[in-house]
Amino acid sequence: MAKKYFGTDGIRGKVGEHPITADFFLKLGWAAGRVFANEGHGFVLVGKDTRISGYMFESALEAGLTAAGVDTRLLGPMPTPGVAYLTRTLRAQAGIVISASHNPYYDNGVKFFSVHGTKLPDEIEKEIEHYIDTPMTTVESSGLGKAKRISDAAGRYIEFCKASVPTRLDFDGLRIVVDCAHGATYHIAPHVFSEIGAEVVSIGTEPNGLNINEEYGATSPQKLAETVLAYRADLGIALDGDGDRLIMVDHKGEIVDGDELIYIIAKSRLGANELSGPVIGTLMSNLGMEHALKQLGISLLRAKVGDRYVMELLVENKGILGGEGSGHIICLDKTTTGDGIIAALQIIAEMQHSGKNLHELKSGMTKYPQVLLNIKTKTKPDLDGNETIQKAVKDVEKKLGTSGRVLLRASGTEPLIRVMVEGQHEDKVTEYANQLADQVTKAMGA
């Protein structure tokens, strides 16, 4: 049975519109509390990013958990991967993150972590949804949950991040610009990189509740590139609002995306004989990464778009490295979920170990031009059952041969068909993408 509230990455939407409302979060906290209480006594961690609505939703979740008889430990602003780590190491029953990740401040959401620091299984999310749709009750006063704040949460996570790179490596003399997107890493990331010995220039570290991800961070790395050039830094690090995405900038001001970063880490692990299983990408991972990995003897498997699906394939194939071009990078040999700070540390550790700068490290991979077009539709399309569309796709695939790729998929959240064409020559890729989009539009009557 399909889930009613939970999507592929928790629950997310616009603040004030169902289900991102205070009353729903109260009920969600109670429903989750009922499920966790059934599994025994313990406590639940609650962290958040820097959105102004986080105060409201933190209080609502706390009240719901308390009514269900579950103790709460409040972390305050904390990156999503930090909550995952603390949930595991503090042996909490679960961790809850109030965040809409890379979205603007007027959105918010919630995601859960299990005691193992991984996303909740589908069956637990469905059980929580069952309670959401039942009347809310309150336990006897003697059984109410208690809440308190954990004051050393940031310090614990900082030390964990630093421990992900060898202490023998010397980062003295390395100048790094760190962009925290005015988000949850603002009080953490600069300390991590300065405490390993680098000189740090910080931007995007002044959250006011309304500026998260605005013109800063992994989704807007232009200011980072400008700052790297202005300070003549060795590299730049851009995190998103909740710290689970990473985009970097080399000393020339060139943006290095998630696919390129995954390639660098994969090559590093292979050289150290520490790579196991295939690398996991997604349907959108650049073909250039696949070809570059293949030259190293590393296979790439593609999951559906979304870090949840990347994680599923990693576990299924006993791999340790995967992610997306958007910057979700999962290093399972270091942590249990996508973590921007951990991924960045792996890159700069390879820089110091190899003696190469970031520009040189990425040069082993050539990104292929990729054109993505969105076609609006009135109804949910049946792409597989439309012979005209399938013929058009095969025609383009034949023209591209082994040096290109076509991806046609319906959006899971909007009435859109996404047309992606990728290949070695940008002019041909653009031409084929427009041709295919026109044929799909006519065939669907869009």
Side-chain angles (χ1 to χ4, degrees), residues 112-176:
F112 289 77
F113 287 102
S114 73
V115 65
H116 305 296
T118 56
K119 300 288 176 67
L120 282 186
D122 285 343
E123 56 268 24
I124 300 296
E125 290 184 343
K126 288 178 181 177
E127 193 175 354
I128 292 172
E129 290 194 343
H130 163 73
Y131 280 108
I132 290 174
D133 291 332
T134 61
M136 183 173 170
T137 58
T138 302
V139 299
E140 291 290 333
S141 293
S142 60
L144 289 170
K146 299 176 182 177
K148 66 179 182 181
R149 293 198 173 269
I150 296 180
S151 59
D152 62 345
R156 286 173 182 258
Y157 179 54
I158 288 169
E159 291 304 314
F160 166 68
C161 291
K162 287 159 53 182
S164 73
V165 293
T167 54
R168 68 178 183 275
L169 291 178
D170 182 14
F171 299 100
D172 186 45
L174 195 67
R175 181 177 292 174
I176 301 173

Side-chain angles (χ1 to χ4, degrees), residues 52-330:
I52 192 168
S53 59
Y55 294 99
M56 174 172 67
F57 294 131
E58 179 186 56
S59 297
L61 284 172
E62 177 194 332
L65 289 161
T66 299
V70 174
D71 292 341
T72 307
R73 301 288 182 267
L74 302 171
L75 302 173
M78 179 61 54
T80 291
V83 176
Y85 163 71
L86 291 167
T87 301
R88 177 167 52 91
T89 57
L90 295 176
R91 294 174 173 81
Q93 283 187 296
I96 304 177
V97 184
I98 304 164
S99 175
S101 189
H102 58 282
N103 287 25
Y105 79 93
Y106 48 75
D107 289 338
N108 216 330
V110 64
K111 61 184 83 173
F112 289 77
F113 287 102
S114 73
V115 65
H116 305 296
T118 56
K119 300 288 176 67
L120 282 186
D122 285 343
E123 56 268 24
I124 300 296
E125 290 184 343
K126 288 178 181 177
E127 193 175 354
I128 292 172
E129 290 194 343
H130 163 73
Y131 280 108
I132 290 174
D133 291 332
T134 61
M136 183 173 170
T137 58
T138 302
V139 299
E140 291 290 333
S141 293
S142 60
L144 289 170
K146 299 176 182 177
K148 66 179 182 181
R149 293 198 173 269
I150 296 180
S151 59
D152 62 345
R156 286 173 182 258
Y157 179 54
I158 288 169
E159 291 304 314
F160 166 68
C161 291
K162 287 159 53 182
S164 73
V165 293
T167 54
R168 68 178 183 275
L169 291 178
D170 182 14
F171 299 100
D172 186 45
L174 195 67
R175 181 177 292 174
I176 301 173
V177 181
V178 179
D179 180 355
C180 298
H182 298 304
T185 63
Y186 78 97
H187 61 316
I188 290 174
H191 292 291
V192 171
F193 296 105
S194 63
E195 288 180 23
I196 63 170
E199 178 188 345
V200 174
V201 176
S202 301
I203 62 175
T205 54
E206 299 178 3
N208 61 15
L210 307 175
N211 60 358
I212 188 169
N213 298 313
E214 186 179 3
E215 297 183 358
Y216 285 86
T219 53
S220 301
Q222 293 76 20
K223 275 195 172 63
L224 175 64
E226 293 168 5
T227 310
V228 166
L229 293 174
Y231 281 85
R232 297 182 179 178
D234 296 290
L235 71 149
I237 293 167
L239 305 162
D240 70 336
D242 72 330
D244 65 357
R245 284 193 187 198
L246 168 71
I247 297 294
M248 297 182 77
V249 170
D250 66 21
H251 72 285
K252 295 186 175 186
E254 294 179 7
I255 293 169
V256 187
D257 71 7
D259 287 343
E260 293 168 303
L261 297 173
I262 291 167
Y263 164 77
I264 293 170
I265 297 172
K267 187 176 181 180
S268 172
R269 293 289 193 271
L270 182 68
N273 200 28
E274 294 175 351
L275 186 67
S276 63
V279 169
I280 307 299
T282 73
L283 296 172
M284 296 301 294
S285 295
N286 195 277
L287 190 59
M289 178 176 75
E290 182 175 350
H291 287 180
L293 290 174
K294 188 176 181 180
Q295 289 180 347
L296 297 174
I298 302 171
S299 60
L300 174 77
L301 297 183
R302 294 179 182 271
K304 291 190 292 184
V305 175
D307 60 337
R308 171 186 283 258
Y309 302 116
V310 173
M311 180 67 79
E312 286 176 0
L313 269 190
L314 274 173
V315 173
E316 185 181 320
N317 291 275
K318 299 180 180 178
I320 62 163
L321 177 64
E324 303 181 89
S326 60
H328 284 122
I329 300 174
I330 303 170

Side-chain angles (χ1 to χ4, degrees), residues 416-427:
L416 293 174
I417 298 174
R418 305 194 191 279
V419 177
M420 190 277 286
V421 179
E422 185 176 39
Q424 290 178 314
H425 306 291
E426 188 168 5
D427 55 344

